[in-house]
């Protein structure tokens, strides 16, 4: 049995990852640690937790005594850190929370893992580590900044974040790398492009547009809608993380993305078409400050080293995603019933 600590698994990607690894591996036991912020919903993973293979703990990755207790009790072999404040627009509104969770929280987890996993010292004085342990940080392509019309992000592209969100994720990545370089900690990092799929909180573009259409609301597109994102179906991201934890090299960064670039306006039009709604619902609103123009991942490294390729084509993934929101109205109606209404009002009423 391998014992996993998966943080942030009541959120979008973490929940999909949890479901994926529980179905794929008989030999993993998981503790989910999630603070259940506005973005975390226990209902998403209610059928997966609280049995002998998976256990839920409500708590903060910044809470060191809690982490120490969990490491002592469950003897984790693997930590997968999804927990984060993840929305760029919210980071523009309140940057400090992003520093707290994304930087200090990650460093706190790194330290708790270090305290639990170090077994001694080698001849050079570097720490030695318990066999088979791994700290995996789930990062984003946004750490690389923004591209012009040409080119792709590779793992050696200089980090040049622009938003408070991406600056905090960049800082966390630097800490993860620093723990590898300084303490030889067995770490890995994935930097993935924009995900879409089931269970995504409707503050992000694709579920927001689907939900607005279903709720009969206008479809807000920032600026001209020409910004480009590189969309990946969430399960393909989960598979990449799983592959890297099992076979990826320690101390390495792997870019994850599927060469599926689309302008925002194209995405919104595709969803309108799928749902049989007129494009006249589209409303151009004020642009995001510091809005990154284009993200595009070069996934050659993960493909060449580990054979990973995205399996879900966008045409199929978007249909599946729309169908999921149609079939799970209760899920998203619950999600948007509380704080989301205030958020939406504040973000979109005077845009
Ligand atoms: P999300 O916002 O849907 O979920 C984040 C989860 O973290 C929530 O369940 C929340 O309750 C939890 N959380 C927040 N603060 C916490 C804390 N202090 N302690 C414990 N739990 C806490 O995010 P997501 O879209 O699933 O993203 C997950 C990770 O993947 C993030 O690190 C994000 O930076 C990264 N990422 C996201 C995308 C994307 O397109 N969504 C792409 C690449 C990378
Ligand atoms: P988002 O889903 O917030 O992801 P990210 O900012 O991390 O890429 O936004 C995706 C793109 O869609 C981004 O260019 C901003 C744009 N966008 C809109 O045009 N309207 C919206 O209401 C939202 C939420 C995003």
């Amino acid at each position: 049995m391998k014992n996993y600590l998966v943080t942030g698994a009541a959120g979008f990607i973490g929940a999909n990852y949890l479901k994926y690894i529980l179905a794929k591996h008989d030999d993993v036991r998981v503790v989910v640690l999630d603070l259940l912020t506005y973005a975390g919903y226990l209902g998403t993973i209610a059928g997966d937790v609280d049995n002998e293979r998976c256990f839920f703990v409500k708590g903060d990755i910044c809470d060191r005594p809690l982490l120490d207790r969990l490491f002592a009790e469950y003897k984790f072999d693997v930590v997968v850190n999804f927990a984060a404040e993840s929305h760029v627009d919210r980071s523009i509104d309140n940057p400090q929370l992003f520093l707290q969770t994304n930087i200090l929280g990650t460093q706190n987890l790194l330290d708790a893992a270090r305290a639990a996993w170090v077994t001694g010292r080698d001849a050079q004085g570097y720490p030695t580590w318990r066999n088979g342990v791994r700290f995996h940080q789930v990062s984003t392509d946004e750490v690389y900044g923004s591209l012009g019309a040409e080119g792709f992000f590779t793992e050696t592209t200089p980090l040049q974040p622009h938003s408070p969100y991406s600056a905090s994720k960049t800082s966390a990545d630097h800490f993860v790398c620093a723990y590898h370089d300084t303490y030889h900690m067995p770490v890995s990092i994935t930097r993935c492009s924009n995900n879409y799929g089931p269970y995504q909180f409707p503050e992000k573009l694709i579920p927001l547009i689907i939900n607005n259409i279903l709720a009969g609301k206008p479809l807000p597109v920032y600026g001209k809608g020409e910004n480009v994102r590189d969309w990946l179906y969430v399960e393909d991201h989960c598979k990449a993380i799983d592959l890297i934890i099992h076979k990826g090299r320690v101390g390495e960064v792997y870019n994850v993305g599927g060469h599926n670039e689309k302008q925002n306006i194209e995405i919104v039009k595709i969803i309108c078409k799928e749902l049989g709604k007129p494009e006249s619902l589209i409303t151009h609103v004020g642009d995001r400050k510091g809005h990154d123009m284009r993200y595009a991942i070069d996934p050659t490294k993960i493909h060449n080293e580990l054979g990973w390729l995205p399996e879900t084509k966008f045409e199929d993934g978007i249909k599946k995603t729309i169908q999921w929101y149609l079939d799970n109205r209760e899920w998203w109606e619950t999600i948007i019933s509380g704080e989301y209404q205030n958020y939406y009002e504040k973000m979109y009423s005077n845009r």
Side-chain angles (χ1 to χ4, degrees):
M1 269 290 174
K2 283 262 183 190
N3 294 313
Y4 279 50
L5 173 63
V6 181
T7 70
F12 165 47
I13 307 174
N16 279 282
Y17 171 79
L18 180 71
K19 290 171 194 295
Y20 176 74
I21 60 165
L22 288 175
K24 170 138 196 242
H25 302 292
D26 291 332
D27 64 339
V28 302
R29 210 168 15 216
V30 184
V31 172
V32 171
L33 175 65
D34 196 298
L35 187 58
L36 299 181
T37 66
Y38 77 89
Y41 176 46
L42 197 48
T44 302
I45 53 168
D48 306 293
V49 297
D50 294 336
N51 55 63
E52 69 283 357
R53 288 193 57 214
C54 186
F55 186 69
F56 179 78
V57 177
K58 181 173 186 230
D60 193 335
I61 58 168
C62 298
D63 182 345
R64 180 63 192 273
L66 170 65
L67 293 183
D68 287 343
R69 276 204 306 280
L70 293 177
F71 271 91
E73 190 171 347
Y74 296 101
K75 310 270 181 284
F76 300 123
D77 304 290
V78 176
V79 174
V80 192
N81 184 26
F82 291 93
E85 287 295 330
S86 69
H87 192 35
V88 173
D89 292 325
R90 290 186 193 250
S91 82
I92 293 168
D93 200 42
N94 178 14
Q96 200 164 53
L97 182 58
F98 286 69
L99 273 75
Q100 178 69 26
T101 299
N102 298 359
I103 306 176
L104 293 175
T106 301
Q107 190 268 337
N108 201 41
L109 262 180
L110 286 163
D111 258 356
R114 184 162 72 101
W117 288 346
V118 167
T119 53
R121 305 221 154 264
D122 68 13
Q124 282 78 42
Y126 284 100
T128 51
W129 296 80
R130 213 175 83 205
N131 267 345
V133 294
R134 174 74 72 99
F135 186 105
H136 185 80
Q137 174 72 359
V138 181
S139 185
T140 163
D141 59 356
E142 302 193 27
V143 300
Y144 296 118
S146 182
L147 292 164
E150 303 285 315
F152 299 95
F153 297 133
T154 71
E155 289 80 359
T156 55
T157 300
L159 306 187
Q160 209 174 358
H162 297 127
S163 72
Y165 162 69
S166 53
S168 69
K169 293 294 289 185
T170 306
S171 180
D173 281 15
H174 282 314
F175 273 97
V176 174
C177 294
Y179 274 58
H180 176 258
D181 296 345
T182 309
Y183 309 117
H184 289 178
M185 186 169 185
V187 303
S188 47
I189 297 177
T190 36
R191 294 192 182 132
C192 189
S193 59
N194 286 62
N195 285 210
Y196 69 100
Y199 303 109
Q200 187 167 28
F201 191 81
E203 65 188 350
K204 306 282 169 47
L205 180 68
I206 288 181
L208 186 141
I209 296 300
I210 298 172
N211 281 298
N212 278 20
I213 289 182
L214 298 181
K217 288 164 111 172
L219 312 179
V221 169
Y222 298 169
K224 292 185 183 153
E226 289 171 351
N227 304 62
V228 172
R229 298 293 182 262
D230 184 356
W231 295 95
L232 184 72
Y233 192 63
V234 62
E235 194 180 48
D236 281 321
H237 184 189
C238 298
K239 287 179 180 170
I241 294 171
D242 185 53
L243 197 57
I244 286 160
I245 287 171
H246 284 89
K247 298 195 177 136
R249 285 182 296 141
V250 157
E252 292 291 321
V253 172
Y254 292 89
N255 281 356
V256 183
H259 284 306
N260 180 52
E261 292 179 47
K262 299 234 179 304
Q263 288 189 337
N264 296 335
I265 192 77
E266 286 180 73
I267 294 281
V268 178
K269 286 181 178 174
I270 289 169
I271 299 172
C272 285
K273 192 162 171 230
E274 287 292 333
L275 282 166
K277 297 291 175 186
E279 291 176 9
S280 57
L281 286 171
I282 295 171
T283 314
H284 289 271
V285 298
D287 210 348
R288 176 183 280 171
K289 294 190 177 56
H291 197 171
D292 286 339
M293 192 58 211
R294 175 173 165 255
Y295 303 145
I297 282 278
D298 176 352
T300 306
K301 180 174 172 178
I302 187 171
H303 176 61
N304 287 351
E305 282 190 21
L306 302 172
W308 179 90
L309 275 176
E311 290 167 29
T312 299
K313 289 197 190 74
F314 187 76
E315 303 78 69
D316 302 329
I318 194 71
K319 282 195 177 76
K320 276 204 273 188
T321 303
I322 292 171
Q323 193 58 49
W324 187 89
Y325 280 89
L326 287 171
D327 294 342
N328 291 275
R329 203 174 182 112
E330 206 181 309
W331 181 89
W332 61 261
E333 280 182 350
T334 310
I335 294 275
I336 64 172
S337 63
E339 186 266 1
Y340 184 75
Q341 296 303 327
N342 301 333
Y343 164 81
Y344 196 88
E345 180 64 22
K346 184 171 166 197
M347 279 297 173
Y348 292 93
S349 59
N350 290 316
R351 194 149 193 149

